[in-house]
Structure formats: structure tokens, C-alpha cells
């Protein structure tokens, strides 16, 4: 980016791994527990993501057809003028996670995003990265990051 004199986007500055303070006595936590740890210290979490991230809601309900689905955490990046869908996974990254997050991102783009806003960014926060899966199923608007409990 420096050679091309491009300005970095918010997703280029997100730490990896993201450190999450663990108040539980175990390293085997559920996704619900992980979400609770993040929400307990949301300010610190948003700072680790970088500049301009703000909290919109958790378990954000969306209705597709006659079924409701729930986005783990919905954020907004003021600097890049875009919604950010955050999906939490307490497992290694799997290809199924991309289908889920892309569905949520498409919903946000069609139902919440305005014409002046940029396309939604998806972040899959997982226990362990899988570069092989990411190589074949990714696109520019989905990134993955590992988390580490401290």
C-alpha cells in the first residue's frame, strides 16, 4: 500500500490475533461466552479493531423469508462508512462460516445500507485460522481473525 500510495482501509489495520480478557476459568468457551467477554469490555475490543468502529448491537435480528436469523455482533465503521458484520466461532475456520456471513452481509447491503454507504465488511473471529479454506472461499469483503484469551 505504501508503494502504491494507497490509504489503508479499516480492515487492513485490524490486529491478529485479537486479545480478549478471559474471566472464565476455562479455555473451552462457547460462542455465547465469547460474545459475553467481548461485550463486557466492548471499548477495548473496538480499539483492537482499529479506527472508527462503533457498536450497533448484538444478536441483531434479520428476517429472511419467514425465518429470523441473528447476527452475533453488528458494528459500523464511521471512517470507512460501512456496516461490519462480526461472526464469532469457537472453532477452526470452516467454509460454512463464509456462507453464513455472506448471507448476513447481503441482507445488510440490501436492507440497511444506503446508496452513500460502502459495501458491508464481514469479520469472522475464530479460534484457529485455516489458510487453506480462506484461499478458496474468500472475497475482498470478508476477513478472518483469530482470537486469543488472556
Amino acid at each position: 500500500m505504501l508503494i502504491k500510495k494507497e490509504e489503508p482501509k479499516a480492515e487492513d489495520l485490524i490486529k491478529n490475533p485479537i486479545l480478549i480478557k478471559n474471566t472464565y476459568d476455562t479455555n473451552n468457551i462457547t460462542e455465547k461466552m465469547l460474545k459475553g467477554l467481548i461485550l463486557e469490555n466492548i471499548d477495548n475490543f473496538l480499539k483492537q479493531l482499529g479506527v472508527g468502529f462503533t457498536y450497533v448491537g448484538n444478536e441483531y435480528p434479520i428476517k429472511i423469508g419467514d425465518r429470523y436469523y441473528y447476527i452475533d455482533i453488528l458494528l459500523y465503521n464511521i471512517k470507512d462508512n460501512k456496516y461490519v458484520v462480526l461472526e464469532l466461532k469457537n472453532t477452526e475456520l470452516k467454509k460454512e462460516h463464509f456462507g453464513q456471513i455472506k448471507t448476513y452481509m447481503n441482507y445488510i447491503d440490501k436492507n440497511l445500507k444506503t446508496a452513500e454507504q460502502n459495501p458491508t465488511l464481514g469479520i469472522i473471529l475464530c479460534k484457529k485460522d485455516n489458510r487453506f479454506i480462506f484461499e478458496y472461499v474468500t472475497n475482498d469483503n470478508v476477513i478472518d481473525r483469530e482470537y486469543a484469551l488472556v
Side-chain angles (χ1 to χ4, degrees):
M1 282 187 284
L2 293 174
I3 293 170
K4 294 179 184 178
K5 296 184 181 175
E6 294 176 354
E7 188 163 329
K9 296 178 270 183
E11 56 265 31
D12 298 326
L13 304 174
I14 298 173
K15 294 171 71 172
N16 194 21
I18 293 176
L19 305 177
I20 299 172
K21 185 177 179 183
N22 186 1
T23 56
Y24 297 106
D25 290 336
T26 180
N27 283 329
N28 296 322
I29 62 171
T30 65
E31 289 175 15
K32 185 175 183 176
M33 293 165 70
L34 179 60
K35 186 181 342 168
L37 292 172
I38 289 170
L39 295 175
E40 283 176 13
N41 201 353
I42 190 72
D43 288 338
N44 182 56
F45 181 77
L46 293 175
K47 287 175 187 170
Q48 289 190 68
L49 293 180
V51 178
F53 285 91
T54 59
Y55 174 78
V56 175
N58 74 87
E59 289 297 311
Y60 191 88
I62 60 174
K63 187 175 182 185
I64 300 174
D66 60 350
R67 295 191 64 196
Y68 280 94
Y69 299 89
Y70 298 90
I71 297 171
D72 287 338
I73 299 177
L74 184 62
L75 305 171
Y76 192 82
N77 188 282
I78 297 168
K79 180 180 178 255
D80 287 344
N81 194 27
K82 66 171 99 177
Y83 283 98
V84 180
V85 172
L86 179 65
E87 277 301 304
L88 308 174
K89 301 299 175 191
N90 65 343
T91 63
E92 180 179 50
L93 183 66
K94 298 178 184 175
K95 64 180 177 20
E96 296 83 21
H97 300 155
F98 286 92
Q100 178 186 18
I101 201 164
K102 280 301 296 176
T103 300
Y104 297 166
M105 292 166 60
N106 289 338
Y107 179 90
I108 296 297
D109 282 344
K110 290 180 181 173
N111 295 286
L112 280 159
K113 180 180 98 59
T114 64
E116 297 81 31
Q117 294 171 325
N118 292 314
T120 300
L121 172 68
I123 302 173
I124 302 171
L125 188 61
C126 55
K127 187 173 189 173
K128 184 170 178 4
D129 196 357
N130 185 332
R131 282 284 140 219
F132 299 109
I133 293 293
F134 199 78
E135 181 179 339
Y136 291 103
V137 296
T138 188
N139 72 27
D140 292 338
N141 291 339
V142 178
I143 62 172
D144 69 321
R145 292 294 185 264
E146 289 184 0
Y147 67 85
L149 299 174
V150 294

